[in-house]
Amino acid sequence: MAINQITVFLENKAGALLDVTRFLSDNKVDLRAINIAETADYGLLRLITADNAQAEKVLKSEGLIFTETPVLAVAIDDKPGALSDVLEVLAKENIDVHYMYSIFGHQDGKAYMIMQLEDSQKASEILKANGITIAEPKDLQIG
């Protein structure tokens, strides 16, 4: 099952990231994962929050531009080679990984990787068929 990631477009300037995290913190929005990428002109702040509805309300009230994107949270054994095993399953099925990053913390000996994929539904079915767990929002304490 896909979960929703919020992508916020930021100016490339000192304090822009601080502003967003402070706005969310002041409004009691808990972060589950965060990733930032940059281009020459702007930054892309990718967030998984405990409450996307509240996060989006805050971002909108601050006049920030954002989108919501479905991503998979894939459970990976916390041991060497486990990520390679998952990526091998996807590669064999010719599923492109657009980007990925890890989520905060571990549960039951599992690390979680956030993956934005060419075809999330197909990828989810293939990964499950290969014994790989796809996290549900409740598994990540996302409401």
Side-chain angles (χ1 to χ4, degrees), residues 115-135:
M115 296 185 175
Q116 207 286 318
L117 303 157
E118 180 179 13
D119 184 339
S120 292
Q121 183 61 38
K122 180 179 176 184
S124 180
E125 292 167 8
I126 290 166
L127 292 169
K128 286 179 184 178
N130 282 273
I132 297 165
T133 302
I134 305 300

Side-chain angles (χ1 to χ4, degrees), residues 31-89:
L31 300 177
R32 296 288 180 245
I34 187 169
N35 173 274
I36 190 159
E38 67 173 301
T39 69
D41 300 319
Y42 59 90
L44 296 173
L45 174 63
R46 295 179 176 122
L47 303 169
I48 306 290
T49 74
D51 185 348
N52 276 6
Q54 178 65 10
E56 289 178 5
K57 180 179 169 185
V58 170
L59 296 170
K60 191 174 194 175
S61 73
E62 295 296 334
L64 293 165
I65 298 169
F66 62 91
T67 61
E68 199 168 11
T69 306
V71 294
L72 293 182
V74 180
I76 298 173
D77 290 331
D78 191 11
K79 65 180 186 181
L83 177 58
S84 295
D85 293 342
V86 171
L87 295 174
E88 184 175 356
V89 169

